[in-house]
Amino acid sequence: MKHKWLEWAQKIQALSQAGIAFSKDAYDIERFEELRKISVEIMAEYTNMSTEKITNLFANETGYQTPKVDIRGVVFQENQILLVKEKHDGLWSLPGGFCDIGLSPSENIVKEIQEESGFNVTTTKLLAVLDTHKHDHPPQSSHYYKLFIQCEISGGRAISGLETADVAFFAKDQLPPLSRKRNTETQMHMLFDFLKDPNKETVFD
């Protein structure tokens, strides 16, 4: 496991959060709160983020903690893949983002692709469910599962959205600089394998 410190911090955070949520004893709750502070200190020690920001992003949830779900749309056109340029970091990614409560995975990705790229799509296949801990993503405060859903364009046209600066299609050997916390080059090559073999089975983990 790369970034072992991150795995420790996330596990301590998850255990402390569950303990705070379900413990009845005031002394136990105090101990779990102290563990939560330690998890934040570990993150602060190994990143450039302030303790306050980490607390807000990493240790501000309640109840039993589970991985967050990130969904990405895979759209091919003329042997090229649809990518959007993120305003946040100026790098490229598959359109998508966090799943919204109240929407199914298919409904989520249809909405995200339309908002970020301007295209209307229909979903066709779940290509992969990946654990960020098992792939070459940079360290992130939360643990994510990433869903990759293949879609087909049914209408619309390329228009950037509130969070995107550009929209374009790219060939496998001409990929732009990627936003690696959202998707990696290895994952892109895996997705192009589905273009080559539409009967390829869903990839997981």
Side-chain angles (χ1 to χ4, degrees), residues 151-177:
C151 305
E152 293 183 354
I153 294 175
S154 59
R157 61 187 178 89
I159 305 174
S160 56
L162 292 176
E163 299 178 354
T164 56
D166 200 359
V167 180
F169 287 86
F170 295 90
K172 180 179 179 179
D173 59 353
Q174 295 180 333
L175 293 173

Side-chain angles (χ1 to χ4, degrees), residues 105-122:
S106 291
E107 292 168 337
N108 264 285
I109 199 55
V110 167
K111 178 181 74 72
E112 290 285 343
I113 292 175
Q114 199 285 321
E115 290 177 350
E116 295 189 358
S117 75
F119 289 111
N120 301 320
V121 300
T122 57

Side-chain angles (χ1 to χ4, degrees), residues 9-51:
Q10 290 176 336
K11 285 184 176 180
I12 294 171
Q13 153 62 14
L15 289 170
S16 63
Q17 183 172 304
I20 292 169
F22 298 113
S23 295
K24 304 299 182 184
D25 185 87
Y27 293 103
D28 285 341
I29 292 174
E30 184 177 352
R31 294 184 185 98
F32 283 122
E33 288 175 343
E34 184 63 27
L35 282 174
R36 169 173 275 186
K37 290 179 182 178
I38 292 172
S39 71
V40 171
E41 289 173 2
I42 293 173
M43 288 290 293
E45 180 69 21
Y46 288 92
T47 68
N48 294 323
M49 297 171 65
S50 68
T51 299

